[in-house]
Amino acid sequence: MKRRDFGQYCGLARALELVGERWALLIVRNLLVRPHRYTELQTGLAGIPTNVLATRLKELEQAGLVERQVAPAPARGVVYALTEVGRSLEPALLSLARWGATQLGEPQPGDRVTPEGMALNMRAAFRPEQAVDMTAAWEIHVRDAVVHVVIDEGALTTGLGESPVKPDLVITPQLDEDALPSFRAVVHAIREGAVELAGRRKLLDTFLRVFTAPRAA
């Protein structure tokens, strides 16, 4: 599969040459959340053809954005992880995610939501000016997925699974059976009071203030 070469001495053109191919940025998105095995990337990128995933990983490795690592104990085998250069893409991805969120219409049949996508979209929605010196931890339980959000003196981390520190508040949205478990749907459920809470309930309003823009009047 021939890679695109624009033949232009331009930063944007070079970026598109490296990560502009179909699925490439979604692979980077998932690896920004945590390193993944090949099979985990297949699962988290439902719909990606196997040959395309293999090709994109090879291209990203050759570009110095992705590397293979030995999985830490007690796990075994190889995982794919971002290099320092790959991780430096995060601000650009978050900006794209924020812009893309303004262009989302209603979910279409066949649309999917992944836990990795939710974790990154929460980073994109983060309003650091509302979290100065804040320390708090949340867990969001959405059907079979768990996403944790930790703010430590204003610095944000998000990830999959249980929080590395004891969560101050666990939020379980009550979504309609046919609703996509998206971050937008979680926020809507919170605002409608369709949630189960465990922990410091006052941190629910804090969560909305820190992770969502004010609603229009």
Side-chain angles (χ1 to χ4, degrees), residues 35 50 52 56 81 85 95 102 123 128 139 144 174 178 203 205:
T50 300
V52 173
R56 293 293 171 266
V85 174
S95 292
T102 68
R123 294 185 198 179
E139 279 183 9
D144 295 332
Q174 305 300 297
D178 59 348
L203 285 176
D205 288 339

Side-chain angles (χ1 to χ4, degrees), residues 10-165:
C10 164
L12 179 58
R14 182 58 178 153
L16 291 174
E17 289 169 359
L18 294 174
V19 295
E21 297 290 349
R22 186 170 175 84
W23 293 100
L25 283 180
L26 292 183
I27 293 171
V28 174
R29 177 200 68 185
N30 284 19
L31 295 182
L32 276 170
V33 176
R34 62 171 174 81
H36 281 63
R37 298 178 184 273
Y38 185 90
T39 53
E40 292 173 330
L41 285 169
Q42 276 188 306
T43 301
L45 296 167
I48 187 171
T50 300
N51 64 319
V52 173
L53 176 58
T55 298
R56 293 293 171 266
L57 285 171
K58 181 179 179 181
E59 291 170 348
L60 292 169
E61 284 187 90
Q62 291 174 340
L65 305 179
V66 168
E67 63 183 3
R68 302 184 197 201
Q69 298 178 349
V70 176
R76 294 182 179 181
V78 173
V79 295
Y80 290 89
L82 293 178
T83 63
E84 183 177 351
V85 174
R87 290 192 297 273
S88 70
L89 278 166
E90 181 168 358
L93 258 69
L94 296 183
S95 292
L96 277 172
R98 281 190 288 268
W99 180 82
T102 68
Q103 306 302 308
L104 285 174
E106 293 301 316
Q108 299 300 306
D111 282 351
R112 302 177 178 92
V113 172
T114 67
E116 291 89 350
M118 180 176 291
L120 198 81
N121 283 320
M122 291 180 71
R123 294 185 198 179
F126 179 56
R127 302 172 66 200
E129 74 280 2
Q130 295 292 331
V132 176
D133 297 328
M134 179 185 294
T135 295
W138 295 264
E139 279 183 9
I140 316 299
H141 292 226
V142 187
R143 296 186 180 142
D144 295 332
V146 177
V147 176
H148 64 260
V149 183
V150 179
I151 300 176
D152 184 6
E153 296 185 354
L156 172 71
T157 58
T158 69
L160 307 185
E162 295 181 354
S163 172
V165 299

Side-chain angles (χ1 to χ4, degrees), residues 1-17:
M1 188 178 296
K2 183 175 175 60
R3 296 193 57 178
R4 69 180 73 188
D5 182 351
F6 296 107
Q8 297 187 28
Y9 192 71
C10 164
L12 179 58
R14 182 58 178 153
L16 291 174
E17 289 169 359

Side-chain angles (χ1 to χ4, degrees), residues 171-187:
I171 303 172
T172 306
Q174 305 300 297
L175 303 181
D176 293 338
E177 186 175 340
D178 59 348
L180 279 177
S182 64
F183 180 55
R184 178 181 291 187
V186 169
V187 170

